[in-house]
Amino acid sequence: MRLILVGPPGAGKGTQAVHLAEHYKIPHISTGDIFRANIKGGTELGKLAQSYMDAGNLVPDSVTNSMVEDRLGQSDVGNGFLLDGYPRNVGQAEFLDGVLNAKGAPLDSVLELSIANDEIIKRLSGRRICRGCGASFHIHFEKPSKDGLCDKCGGELYQRQDDNEATIANRLNVYTEQTEPIIEYYKKAGLLKVISATGAVSEITTQAISALK
Ligand code: AMP
């Protein structure tokens, strides 16, 4: 299964990606997570990505594309992959097609998680992430049992630096202007499936799996 998850920030791509990757037994590749790990590790890539991420802008394609090409060359990708947060513009989508066609392993499906803008803002502004395992919580909708601590690993919860009002607004603009055109691109290629991203996490996973059959 070679799969892409598309949707605006806050649609729940990361949460669904974890469940779908487990279901299909494929690696979950999140470009945002790779950038955040590099920032945490103080690498050159992290230093380069940080200012773009803090402003809610896209990291330049030359950097992101070669990072993804590298990741797709690793041995755990033989069975397929689930890309979360990539591609984010038509240039990246074309680049990915080139990489996959060269391997003779084109995409199987692109799943769009669709959600209204006001719901996104509510979700992102209350989102909290675990420093230890990356699990996602919400101060109103998915409260951890102990304030500020992860239910899964006990790690400290924090608010992503780009989950503030001004950056959220820019991330939504970037999504509309740069990322949405890839939906048309994949529709034309006959790969697009769309499901609603509202409702219980497990229901959305069930809908995703049935849409991908
Ligand atoms: P995410 O965790 O997917 O919301 O990504 C967080 C941030 O990482 C984005 O706002 C971008 O700054 C950067 N980023 C993640 N994926 C990409 C990508 N495919 N292209 C460019 N920048 C990206």
Side-chain angles (χ1 to χ4, degrees):
M1 174 65 100
R2 291 179 290 273
L3 174 63
I4 291 178
L5 274 190
V6 189
K13 295 187 299 296
T15 304
Q16 288 305 323
V18 170
H19 294 292
L20 294 172
E22 203 175 283
H23 178 83
Y24 294 112
K25 301 192 172 36
I26 48 177
H28 166 204
I29 302 174
S30 155
T31 41
D33 283 352
I34 301 176
F35 285 133
R36 278 184 290 278
N38 276 278
I39 290 174
K40 198 171 164 188
T43 68
E44 286 307 311
L45 175 62
K47 282 178 202 152
L48 191 153
Q50 176 129 43
S51 59
Y52 295 98
M53 293 177 76
D54 286 350
N57 291 324
L58 297 187
V59 177
D61 286 356
S62 54
V63 175
T64 309
N65 285 339
S66 59
M67 180 177 94
V68 170
E69 184 175 18
D70 202 56
R71 180 65 187 87
L72 291 177
Q74 290 173 20
S75 58
D76 62 338
V77 170
N79 232 355
F81 54 79
L82 194 171
L83 277 170
D84 156 16
Y86 180 94
R88 258 179 154 99
N89 59 32
V90 171
Q92 292 182 5
E94 288 169 347
F95 178 83
L96 178 65
D97 276 349
V99 170
L100 296 178
N101 289 338
K103 291 178 195 285
L107 286 170
D108 292 307
S109 290
V110 176
L111 183 69
E112 181 192 353
L113 297 181
S114 139
I115 181 171
N117 264 16
D118 52 344
E119 179 67 19
I120 294 174
I121 294 163
K122 268 193 267 170
R123 286 190 186 189
L124 288 180
S125 53
R127 177 161 77 172
R128 298 292 182 272
I129 310 288
C130 173
R131 273 195 207 286
C133 70
S136 181
F137 296 85
H138 192 282
I139 54 171
H140 301 303
F141 311 135
E142 213 184 330
K143 282 186 180 177
S145 25
K146 284 189 198 149
D147 264 0
L149 292 180
C150 175
D151 286 353
K152 295 187 177 133
C153 75
E156 182 201 354
L157 301 184
Y158 77 106
Q159 182 167 31
R160 268 173 54 170
Q161 210 159 343
D162 56 352
D163 279 348
N164 65 74
E165 223 171 291
T167 311
I168 290 172
N170 189 41
R171 287 160 69 203
L172 289 177
N173 278 338
V174 167
Y175 182 77
T176 309
E177 284 167 18
Q178 300 185 49
T179 307
E180 261 181 4
I182 73 172
I183 290 174
E184 199 48 43
Y185 177 90
Y186 288 126
K187 201 190 257 179
K188 277 196 190 132
L191 294 173
L192 188 74
K193 278 129 194 169
V194 187
I195 61 165
S196 161
T198 47
V201 169
S202 61
E203 277 167 24
I204 299 169
T205 309
T206 306
Q207 279 178 35
I209 291 167
S210 105
L212 291 169
K213 263 183 195 148

